Amino acid sequence: RARTDDETRLVEEKTKVAALISEAEKKLAVQLEKFEEERLKMNQEKETAAAERAEAQRKVAEADAARIKAEKDAKMLETLMSEQKLKQEKWMEEHRMLTEETLEKRIAEEKSKIDATLADAKAKEEARLADEQKRLVDAQLDQRLAEMKMKEIEAARIR
């Protein structure tokens, strides 16, 4: 009878251990699914950040092209001034200066917008990386807890 009781307890312990292992496996599966979701989300965020960077770089290129065009326009105005009367020369010089100021203001405004866009994209990327790091640390802690529980279960089973 003592042997039957021991065998019954052994079967019950095995059942408990199997249930605990099953629960741990379920938790690990859920955790793996969360990791995959986070990976997909991170990839999407990377793509979005890359698109934002590309757009900002395109705007910088446009601003540079506008600056180069403005410089060419200014040189052309200088050439025309030298061919005209003194009165026209004075007027053209004033006009050129106003044009350059306007273009410089526009370039400065566009550059400021681009810098703000780049700073925003960088801040978003840094925030995303910080969140990702936190998630990874949390996941490692969860995994360590699961491993510790498994060791406790194994130790309890050995006893």
Side-chain angles (χ1 to χ4, degrees):
R1 172 156 170 87
R3 183 175 176 192
T4 303
D5 288 345
D6 286 344
E7 288 175 355
T8 302
R9 279 194 301 271
L10 183 60
V11 168
E12 288 172 355
E13 285 297 316
K14 284 182 178 180
T15 303
K16 287 179 185 177
V17 168
L20 290 172
I21 289 172
S22 175
E23 181 66 24
E25 287 174 345
K26 287 178 186 175
K27 287 181 180 179
L28 286 174
V30 167
Q31 194 174 24
L32 286 173
E33 186 176 318
K34 286 181 182 178
F35 280 149
E36 181 62 17
E37 289 173 2
E38 287 300 319
R39 185 187 66 76
L40 292 174
K41 182 180 176 185
M42 180 177 44
N43 286 344
Q44 187 176 22
E45 288 172 354
K46 283 181 182 178
E47 289 174 7
T48 301
E52 288 173 354
R53 263 194 308 281
E55 178 65 16
Q57 289 171 346
R58 184 187 63 76
K59 287 183 179 181
V60 167
E62 287 176 359
D64 284 343
R67 180 187 53 79
I68 290 168
K69 186 180 182 314
E71 290 172 357
K72 287 179 181 179
D73 289 347
K75 287 180 183 179
M76 185 179 75
L77 287 174
E78 287 175 10
T79 302
L80 291 174
M81 285 188 315
S82 68
E83 298 171 357
Q84 297 186 12
K85 297 177 186 175
L86 186 58
K87 185 177 180 181
Q88 287 175 328
E89 186 175 332
K90 181 180 179 184
W91 182 86
M92 291 298 287
E93 178 65 20
E94 290 173 358
H95 180 70
R96 184 186 64 77
M97 293 174 106
L98 287 174
T99 301
E100 284 182 359
E101 280 182 20
T102 301
L103 289 172
E104 286 176 2
K105 285 180 184 176
R106 287 182 188 166
I107 290 169
E109 289 170 359
E110 284 300 316
K111 188 163 177 56
S112 176
K113 289 177 185 176
I114 290 166
D115 289 345
T117 301
L118 287 172
D120 186 49
K122 183 178 179 183
K124 286 179 182 177
E125 179 69 10
E126 289 173 356
R128 186 195 60 72
L129 289 174
D131 286 346
E132 178 184 334
Q133 184 67 28
K134 183 184 179 301
R135 281 185 241 131
L136 288 174
V137 167
D138 289 345
Q140 288 175 349
L141 288 174
D142 289 344
Q143 185 175 0
R144 287 185 185 161
L145 283 172
E147 289 172 1
M148 289 174 64
K149 286 182 181 179
M150 292 293 286
K151 287 180 182 177
E152 290 176 7
I153 292 169
E154 186 65 27
R157 187 171 49 116
I158 292 172
R159 288 186 217 147

Short mmCIF file of all heavy atoms in Angstrom, two decimals, residues 15-73:
data_model
loop_
_atom_site.label_atom_id
_atom_site.label_comp_id
_atom_site.label_asym_id
_atom_site.label_seq_id
_atom_site.Cartn_x
_atom_site.Cartn_y
_atom_site.Cartn_z
N THR A 15 2.48 14.94 -12.98
CA THR A 15 1.40 15.70 -13.61
C THR A 15 1.57 17.19 -13.33
O THR A 15 1.41 18.02 -14.23
CB THR A 15 0.03 15.22 -13.09
OG1 THR A 15 -0.09 13.82 -13.34
CG2 THR A 15 -1.12 15.96 -13.74
N LYS A 16 1.90 17.54 -12.09
CA LYS A 16 2.13 18.95 -11.75
C LYS A 16 3.30 19.52 -12.54
O LYS A 16 3.22 20.63 -13.07
CB LYS A 16 2.40 19.10 -10.24
CG LYS A 16 1.19 18.91 -9.37
CD LYS A 16 1.57 19.04 -7.89
CE LYS A 16 0.40 18.73 -6.97
NZ LYS A 16 0.80 18.79 -5.56
N VAL A 17 4.38 18.77 -12.60
CA VAL A 17 5.57 19.22 -13.34
C VAL A 17 5.22 19.40 -14.82
O VAL A 17 5.59 20.39 -15.45
CB VAL A 17 6.75 18.24 -13.15
CG1 VAL A 17 7.88 18.54 -14.13
CG2 VAL A 17 7.27 18.32 -11.72
N ALA A 18 4.49 18.44 -15.37
CA ALA A 18 4.10 18.54 -16.78
C ALA A 18 3.24 19.77 -17.01
O ALA A 18 3.39 20.47 -18.01
CB ALA A 18 3.37 17.28 -17.22
N ALA A 19 2.33 20.06 -16.07
CA ALA A 19 1.47 21.24 -16.20
C ALA A 19 2.31 22.52 -16.12
O ALA A 19 2.10 23.46 -16.89
CB ALA A 19 0.40 21.24 -15.11
N LEU A 20 3.27 22.54 -15.19
CA LEU A 20 4.14 23.72 -15.07
C LEU A 20 4.99 23.90 -16.33
O LEU A 20 5.17 25.03 -16.82
CB LEU A 20 5.04 23.60 -13.83
CG LEU A 20 4.31 23.74 -12.49
CD1 LEU A 20 5.27 23.40 -11.34
CD2 LEU A 20 3.77 25.15 -12.32
N ILE A 21 5.50 22.80 -16.84
CA ILE A 21 6.31 22.88 -18.08
C ILE A 21 5.44 23.37 -19.22
O ILE A 21 5.84 24.23 -20.01
CB ILE A 21 6.95 21.52 -18.40
CG1 ILE A 21 8.07 21.22 -17.39
CG2 ILE A 21 7.49 21.49 -19.82
CD1 ILE A 21 8.64 19.82 -17.49
N SER A 22 4.22 22.85 -19.31
CA SER A 22 3.30 23.28 -20.36
C SER A 22 3.00 24.76 -20.24
O SER A 22 3.00 25.48 -21.23
CB SER A 22 2.01 22.46 -20.27
OG SER A 22 1.07 22.93 -21.19
N GLU A 23 2.77 25.23 -19.03
CA GLU A 23 2.50 26.65 -18.81
C GLU A 23 3.71 27.50 -19.20
O GLU A 23 3.57 28.54 -19.85
CB GLU A 23 2.13 26.89 -17.34
CG GLU A 23 1.79 28.33 -17.01
CD GLU A 23 0.54 28.82 -17.70
OE1 GLU A 23 -0.34 28.02 -18.06
OE2 GLU A 23 0.44 30.04 -17.91
N ALA A 24 4.89 27.05 -18.83
CA ALA A 24 6.12 27.77 -19.19
C ALA A 24 6.29 27.81 -20.70
O ALA A 24 6.67 28.84 -21.26
CB ALA A 24 7.34 27.13 -18.52
N GLU A 25 6.00 26.69 -21.36
CA GLU A 25 6.10 26.66 -22.83
C GLU A 25 5.11 27.61 -23.47
O GLU A 25 5.42 28.30 -24.43
CB GLU A 25 5.87 25.23 -23.34
CG GLU A 25 7.04 24.29 -23.06
CD GLU A 25 6.74 22.84 -23.43
OE1 GLU A 25 5.55 22.50 -23.63
OE2 GLU A 25 7.70 22.05 -23.52
N LYS A 26 3.88 27.69 -22.90
CA LYS A 26 2.88 28.63 -23.43
C LYS A 26 3.38 30.07 -23.27
O LYS A 26 3.24 30.87 -24.18
CB LYS A 26 1.54 28.45 -22.70
CG LYS A 26 0.80 27.20 -23.09
CD LYS A 26 -0.48 27.07 -22.28
CE LYS A 26 -1.19 25.75 -22.54
NZ LYS A 26 -2.37 25.57 -21.68
N LYS A 27 3.93 30.36 -22.09
CA LYS A 27 4.43 31.72 -21.85
C LYS A 27 5.57 32.05 -22.80
O LYS A 27 5.66 33.16 -23.32
CB LYS A 27 4.88 31.88 -20.40
CG LYS A 27 3.73 31.95 -19.43
CD LYS A 27 4.21 32.12 -17.99
CE LYS A 27 3.03 32.20 -17.03
NZ LYS A 27 3.47 32.34 -15.64
N LEU A 28 6.46 31.09 -23.02
CA LEU A 28 7.56 31.32 -23.96
C LEU A 28 7.04 31.54 -25.37
O LEU A 28 7.55 32.39 -26.12
CB LEU A 28 8.55 30.16 -23.92
CG LEU A 28 9.45 30.08 -22.69
CD1 LEU A 28 10.28 28.80 -22.72
CD2 LEU A 28 10.36 31.30 -22.60
N ALA A 29 6.01 30.79 -25.76
CA ALA A 29 5.43 30.97 -27.10
C ALA A 29 4.82 32.36 -27.24
O ALA A 29 5.00 33.02 -28.26
CB ALA A 29 4.37 29.89 -27.36
N VAL A 30 4.13 32.81 -26.20
CA VAL A 30 3.55 34.16 -26.22
C VAL A 30 4.66 35.20 -26.30
O VAL A 30 4.58 36.17 -27.05
CB VAL A 30 2.66 34.39 -24.96
CG1 VAL A 30 2.31 35.86 -24.80
CG2 VAL A 30 1.41 33.54 -25.03
N GLN A 31 5.71 34.97 -25.54
CA GLN A 31 6.85 35.90 -25.55
C GLN A 31 7.50 35.94 -26.93
O GLN A 31 7.82 37.01 -27.43
CB GLN A 31 7.85 35.45 -24.49
CG GLN A 31 8.90 36.49 -24.16
CD GLN A 31 9.78 36.05 -23.01
OE1 GLN A 31 9.92 34.88 -22.75
NE2 GLN A 31 10.38 37.01 -22.34
N LEU A 32 7.67 34.79 -27.55
CA LEU A 32 8.23 34.75 -28.91
C LEU A 32 7.34 35.49 -29.89
O LEU A 32 7.83 36.21 -30.76
CB LEU A 32 8.45 33.30 -29.36
CG LEU A 32 9.63 32.57 -28.72
CD1 LEU A 32 9.61 31.09 -29.13
CD2 LEU A 32 10.94 33.22 -29.10
N GLU A 33 6.05 35.33 -29.74
CA GLU A 33 5.11 36.04 -30.62
C GLU A 33 5.24 37.55 -30.41
O GLU A 33 5.25 38.32 -31.37
CB GLU A 33 3.69 35.59 -30.31
CG GLU A 33 2.66 36.15 -31.28
CD GLU A 33 1.27 35.60 -31.01
OE1 GLU A 33 1.14 34.40 -30.75
OE2 GLU A 33 0.32 36.40 -31.07
N LYS A 34 5.39 37.98 -29.15
CA LYS A 34 5.58 39.41 -28.88
C LYS A 34 6.88 39.91 -29.49
O LYS A 34 6.93 41.01 -30.04
CB LYS A 34 5.59 39.66 -27.37
CG LYS A 34 4.21 39.57 -26.73
CD LYS A 34 4.28 39.85 -25.24
CE LYS A 34 2.93 39.70 -24.57
NZ LYS A 34 3.03 39.93 -23.12
N PHE A 35 7.94 39.10 -29.38
CA PHE A 35 9.21 39.49 -29.99
C PHE A 35 9.05 39.69 -31.49
O PHE A 35 9.56 40.65 -32.05
CB PHE A 35 10.29 38.43 -29.75
CG PHE A 35 10.92 38.47 -28.39
CD1 PHE A 35 11.38 37.31 -27.80
CD2 PHE A 35 11.08 39.66 -27.70
CE1 PHE A 35 11.98 37.33 -26.55
CE2 PHE A 35 11.67 39.69 -26.46
CZ PHE A 35 12.11 38.52 -25.88
N GLU A 36 8.33 38.79 -32.14
CA GLU A 36 8.13 38.89 -33.59
C GLU A 36 7.33 40.15 -33.93
O GLU A 36 7.66 40.86 -34.86
CB GLU A 36 7.43 37.63 -34.12
CG GLU A 36 7.19 37.64 -35.61
CD GLU A 36 8.45 37.70 -36.45
OE1 GLU A 36 9.55 37.40 -35.94
OE2 GLU A 36 8.34 38.05 -37.63
N GLU A 37 6.29 40.42 -33.15
CA GLU A 37 5.50 41.64 -33.37
C GLU A 37 6.38 42.88 -33.20
O GLU A 37 6.30 43.80 -34.01
CB GLU A 37 4.32 41.70 -32.38
CG GLU A 37 3.22 40.70 -32.67
CD GLU A 37 2.17 40.67 -31.57
OE1 GLU A 37 2.26 41.46 -30.61
OE2 GLU A 37 1.24 39.84 -31.67
N GLU A 38 7.20 42.90 -32.18
CA GLU A 38 8.10 44.03 -31.93
C GLU A 38 9.10 44.17 -33.07
O GLU A 38 9.42 45.28 -33.50
CB GLU A 38 8.84 43.88 -30.59
CG GLU A 38 7.96 44.11 -29.40
CD GLU A 38 7.36 45.49 -29.37
OE1 GLU A 38 8.07 46.46 -29.68
OE2 GLU A 38 6.17 45.60 -29.05
N ARG A 39 9.60 43.03 -33.57
CA ARG A 39 10.57 43.08 -34.67
C ARG A 39 9.91 43.68 -35.92
O ARG A 39 10.48 44.55 -36.58
CB ARG A 39 11.10 41.67 -34.97
CG ARG A 39 12.21 41.64 -36.02
CD ARG A 39 12.58 40.22 -36.40
NE ARG A 39 11.52 39.52 -37.09
CZ ARG A 39 11.21 39.72 -38.37
NH1 ARG A 39 11.86 40.58 -39.10
NH2 ARG A 39 10.24 39.01 -38.94
N LEU A 40 8.69 43.24 -36.20
CA LEU A 40 7.97 43.77 -37.36
C LEU A 40 7.69 45.27 -37.19
O LEU A 40 7.86 46.05 -38.12
CB LEU A 40 6.66 43.00 -37.57
CG LEU A 40 6.81 41.54 -38.02
CD1 LEU A 40 5.46 40.84 -38.05
CD2 LEU A 40 7.50 41.44 -39.37
N LYS A 41 7.28 45.63 -35.98
CA LYS A 41 7.01 47.04 -35.70
C LYS A 41 8.29 47.86 -35.85
O LYS A 41 8.28 48.95 -36.43
CB LYS A 41 6.44 47.18 -34.29
CG LYS A 41 6.07 48.59 -33.91
CD LYS A 41 5.51 48.65 -32.50
CE LYS A 41 5.23 50.07 -32.09
NZ LYS A 41 4.79 50.16 -30.70
N MET A 42 9.39 47.34 -35.34
CA MET A 42 10.68 48.03 -35.43
C MET A 42 11.09 48.20 -36.89
O MET A 42 11.54 49.27 -37.29
CB MET A 42 11.76 47.25 -34.66
CG MET A 42 13.13 47.90 -34.70
SD MET A 42 14.39 47.03 -33.73
CE MET A 42 14.11 45.34 -34.15
N ASN A 43 10.90 47.17 -37.70
CA ASN A 43 11.24 47.26 -39.12
C ASN A 43 10.40 48.33 -39.80
O ASN A 43 10.90 49.10 -40.62
CB ASN A 43 11.06 45.91 -39.81
CG ASN A 43 12.18 44.93 -39.45
OD1 ASN A 43 13.22 45.33 -38.94
ND2 ASN A 43 11.96 43.66 -39.70
N GLN A 44 9.12 48.37 -39.45
CA GLN A 44 8.24 49.38 -40.04
C GLN A 44 8.69 50.78 -39.62
O GLN A 44 8.73 51.70 -40.43
CB GLN A 44 6.80 49.12 -39.61
CG GLN A 44 5.79 50.01 -40.32
CD GLN A 44 4.37 49.66 -39.94
OE1 GLN A 44 4.13 49.07 -38.89
NE2 GLN A 44 3.43 50.03 -40.77
N GLU A 45 9.06 50.93 -38.36
CA GLU A 45 9.53 52.23 -37.87
C GLU A 45 10.83 52.63 -38.56
O GLU A 45 11.04 53.80 -38.87
CB GLU A 45 9.71 52.20 -36.35
CG GLU A 45 8.39 52.16 -35.60
CD GLU A 45 8.56 51.93 -34.11
OE1 GLU A 45 9.70 51.68 -33.66
OE2 GLU A 45 7.55 52.01 -33.39
N LYS A 46 11.70 51.63 -38.79
CA LYS A 46 12.94 51.92 -39.51
C LYS A 46 12.65 52.40 -40.92
O LYS A 46 13.28 53.35 -41.41
CB LYS A 46 13.84 50.68 -39.56
CG LYS A 46 14.57 50.38 -38.28
CD LYS A 46 15.44 49.14 -38.45
CE LYS A 46 16.15 48.77 -37.17
NZ LYS A 46 16.95 47.56 -37.33
N GLU A 47 11.71 51.74 -41.59
CA GLU A 47 11.34 52.14 -42.95
C GLU A 47 10.77 53.55 -42.95
O GLU A 47 11.10 54.35 -43.83
CB GLU A 47 10.32 51.16 -43.54
CG GLU A 47 10.91 49.80 -43.88
CD GLU A 47 9.86 48.79 -44.32
OE1 GLU A 47 8.68 49.18 -44.50
OE2 GLU A 47 10.22 47.61 -44.50
N THR A 48 9.94 53.85 -41.97
CA THR A 48 9.36 55.20 -41.87
C THR A 48 10.47 56.23 -41.64
O THR A 48 10.48 57.28 -42.29
CB THR A 48 8.34 55.26 -40.72
OG1 THR A 48 7.31 54.30 -40.97
CG2 THR A 48 7.73 56.63 -40.59
N ALA A 49 11.39 55.93 -40.74
CA ALA A 49 12.49 56.85 -40.46
C ALA A 49 13.35 57.03 -41.71
O ALA A 49 13.78 58.16 -42.02
CB ALA A 49 13.33 56.35 -39.29
N ALA A 50 13.59 55.95 -42.44
CA ALA A 50 14.40 56.05 -43.66
C ALA A 50 13.68 56.92 -44.69
O ALA A 50 14.32 57.75 -45.36
CB ALA A 50 14.67 54.65 -44.24
N ALA A 51 12.38 56.77 -44.81
CA ALA A 51 11.61 57.59 -45.75
C ALA A 51 11.66 59.06 -45.34
O ALA A 51 11.83 59.94 -46.19
CB ALA A 51 10.16 57.10 -45.83
N GLU A 52 11.55 59.32 -44.04
CA GLU A 52 11.62 60.70 -43.55
C GLU A 52 13.00 61.29 -43.82
O GLU A 52 13.12 62.45 -44.20
CB GLU A 52 11.29 60.76 -42.06
CG GLU A 52 9.82 60.52 -41.77
CD GLU A 52 9.52 60.42 -40.28
OE1 GLU A 52 10.46 60.43 -39.46
OE2 GLU A 52 8.32 60.34 -39.94
N ARG A 53 14.05 60.47 -43.60
CA ARG A 53 15.40 60.94 -43.88
C ARG A 53 15.58 61.24 -45.36
O ARG A 53 16.16 62.26 -45.74
CB ARG A 53 16.43 59.89 -43.44
CG ARG A 53 17.03 60.13 -42.07
CD ARG A 53 18.27 59.28 -41.82
NE ARG A 53 18.12 57.88 -42.04
CZ ARG A 53 17.56 57.01 -41.22
NH1 ARG A 53 17.09 57.43 -40.07
NH2 ARG A 53 17.48 55.74 -41.52
N ALA A 54 15.07 60.35 -46.20
CA ALA A 54 15.19 60.55 -47.65
C ALA A 54 14.47 61.83 -48.07
O ALA A 54 15.00 62.59 -48.89
CB ALA A 54 14.62 59.34 -48.40
N GLU A 55 13.29 62.08 -47.51
CA GLU A 55 12.55 63.29 -47.83
C GLU A 55 13.32 64.53 -47.37
O GLU A 55 13.41 65.52 -48.10
CB GLU A 55 11.16 63.26 -47.15
CG GLU A 55 10.32 64.49 -47.38
CD GLU A 55 9.91 64.72 -48.82
OE1 GLU A 55 10.01 63.80 -49.65
OE2 GLU A 55 9.50 65.85 -49.13
N ALA A 56 13.90 64.46 -46.19
CA ALA A 56 14.69 65.59 -45.69
C ALA A 56 15.91 65.83 -46.58
O ALA A 56 16.24 66.99 -46.89
CB ALA A 56 15.12 65.33 -44.24
N GLN A 57 16.56 64.76 -47.00
CA GLN A 57 17.72 64.91 -47.88
C GLN A 57 17.30 65.49 -49.23
O GLN A 57 18.02 66.30 -49.82
CB GLN A 57 18.41 63.56 -48.06
CG GLN A 57 19.14 63.11 -46.80
CD GLN A 57 19.65 61.68 -46.89
OE1 GLN A 57 19.27 60.93 -47.77
NE2 GLN A 57 20.53 61.32 -45.97
N ARG A 58 16.12 65.08 -49.72
CA ARG A 58 15.62 65.64 -50.97
C ARG A 58 15.41 67.15 -50.84
O ARG A 58 15.78 67.93 -51.71
CB ARG A 58 14.32 64.95 -51.38
CG ARG A 58 13.78 65.41 -52.74
CD ARG A 58 12.40 64.85 -53.03
NE ARG A 58 11.36 65.27 -52.10
CZ ARG A 58 10.80 66.48 -52.12
NH1 ARG A 58 11.15 67.38 -52.99
NH2 ARG A 58 9.85 66.78 -51.25
N LYS A 59 14.84 67.56 -49.70
CA LYS A 59 14.61 68.99 -49.46
C LYS A 59 15.94 69.75 -49.37
O LYS A 59 16.04 70.88 -49.85
CB LYS A 59 13.78 69.19 -48.20
CG LYS A 59 12.32 68.81 -48.39
CD LYS A 59 11.51 69.09 -47.14
CE LYS A 59 10.05 68.72 -47.35
NZ LYS A 59 9.25 69.00 -46.15
N VAL A 60 16.94 69.12 -48.74
CA VAL A 60 18.26 69.76 -48.67
C VAL A 60 18.82 69.93 -50.07
O VAL A 60 19.36 70.99 -50.41
CB VAL A 60 19.23 68.93 -47.78
CG1 VAL A 60 20.66 69.38 -47.94
CG2 VAL A 60 18.81 69.01 -46.33
N ALA A 61 18.68 68.90 -50.90
CA ALA A 61 19.17 68.97 -52.29
C ALA A 61 18.44 70.07 -53.05
O ALA A 61 19.06 70.83 -53.81
CB ALA A 61 19.01 67.62 -52.98
N GLU A 62 17.14 70.18 -52.86
CA GLU A 62 16.38 71.24 -53.51
C GLU A 62 16.85 72.61 -53.06
O GLU A 62 16.97 73.54 -53.87
CB GLU A 62 14.88 71.08 -53.23
CG GLU A 62 14.22 69.93 -53.97
CD GLU A 62 12.75 69.75 -53.59
OE1 GLU A 62 12.25 70.50 -52.73
OE2 GLU A 62 12.12 68.85 -54.16
N ALA A 63 17.10 72.75 -51.75
CA ALA A 63 17.58 74.03 -51.22
C ALA A 63 18.95 74.37 -51.81
O ALA A 63 19.22 75.52 -52.15
CB ALA A 63 17.64 73.98 -49.69
N ASP A 64 19.82 73.36 -51.93
CA ASP A 64 21.14 73.59 -52.53
C ASP A 64 20.99 74.00 -53.99
O ASP A 64 21.69 74.91 -54.46
CB ASP A 64 22.00 72.33 -52.43
CG ASP A 64 22.55 72.12 -51.03
OD1 ASP A 64 22.54 73.09 -50.23
OD2 ASP A 64 22.99 70.99 -50.73
N ALA A 65 20.10 73.34 -54.71
CA ALA A 65 19.87 73.70 -56.12
C ALA A 65 19.35 75.13 -56.22
O ALA A 65 19.77 75.89 -57.10
CB ALA A 65 18.89 72.72 -56.77
N ALA A 66 18.45 75.51 -55.32
CA ALA A 66 17.93 76.88 -55.31
C ALA A 66 19.05 77.88 -55.01
O ALA A 66 19.11 78.96 -55.62
CB ALA A 66 16.81 77.00 -54.28
N ARG A 67 19.94 77.51 -54.09
CA ARG A 67 21.07 78.39 -53.76
C ARG A 67 21.99 78.55 -54.96
O ARG A 67 22.40 79.66 -55.31
CB ARG A 67 21.85 77.82 -52.58
CG ARG A 67 23.04 78.69 -52.17
CD ARG A 67 23.90 78.02 -51.10
NE ARG A 67 24.34 76.69 -51.47
CZ ARG A 67 25.35 76.42 -52.30
NH1 ARG A 67 26.02 77.40 -52.88
NH2 ARG A 67 25.69 75.18 -52.56
N ILE A 68 22.30 77.44 -55.64
CA ILE A 68 23.16 77.49 -56.83
C ILE A 68 22.51 78.33 -57.92
O ILE A 68 23.16 79.17 -58.55
CB ILE A 68 23.48 76.06 -57.32
CG1 ILE A 68 24.39 75.36 -56.33
CG2 ILE A 68 24.09 76.08 -58.72
CD1 ILE A 68 24.55 73.87 -56.56
N LYS A 69 21.20 78.13 -58.10
CA LYS A 69 20.48 78.92 -59.11
C LYS A 69 20.53 80.40 -58.72
O LYS A 69 20.71 81.27 -59.59
CB LYS A 69 19.04 78.44 -59.24
CG LYS A 69 18.30 79.13 -60.36
CD LYS A 69 16.87 78.62 -60.46
CE LYS A 69 16.10 79.24 -61.59
NZ LYS A 69 16.19 80.65 -61.74
N ALA A 70 20.34 80.69 -57.45
CA ALA A 70 20.38 82.08 -56.99
C ALA A 70 21.76 82.69 -57.25
O ALA A 70 21.86 83.86 -57.66
CB ALA A 70 20.04 82.15 -55.51
N GLU A 71 22.81 81.92 -57.01
CA GLU A 71 24.16 82.41 -57.29
C GLU A 71 24.35 82.69 -58.78
O GLU A 71 24.93 83.70 -59.15
CB GLU A 71 25.19 81.41 -56.78
CG GLU A 71 25.27 81.34 -55.26
CD GLU A 71 26.14 80.20 -54.75
OE1 GLU A 71 26.66 79.42 -55.57
OE2 GLU A 71 26.29 80.11 -53.52
N LYS A 72 23.85 81.77 -59.63
CA LYS A 72 23.95 81.97 -61.08
C LYS A 72 23.16 83.20 -61.51
O LYS A 72 23.62 83.99 -62.34
CB LYS A 72 23.46 80.73 -61.83
CG LYS A 72 24.40 79.56 -61.76
CD LYS A 72 23.83 78.36 -62.51
CE LYS A 72 24.77 77.17 -62.43
NZ LYS A 72 24.22 76.00 -63.12
N ASP A 73 21.95 83.33 -60.94
CA ASP A 73 21.13 84.50 -61.26
C ASP A 73 21.83 85.79 -60.85
O ASP A 73 21.80 86.79 -61.60
CB ASP A 73 19.77 84.41 -60.57
CG ASP A 73 18.87 83.34 -61.15
OD1 ASP A 73 19.19 82.82 -62.25
OD2 ASP A 73 17.86 83.01 -60.50
#
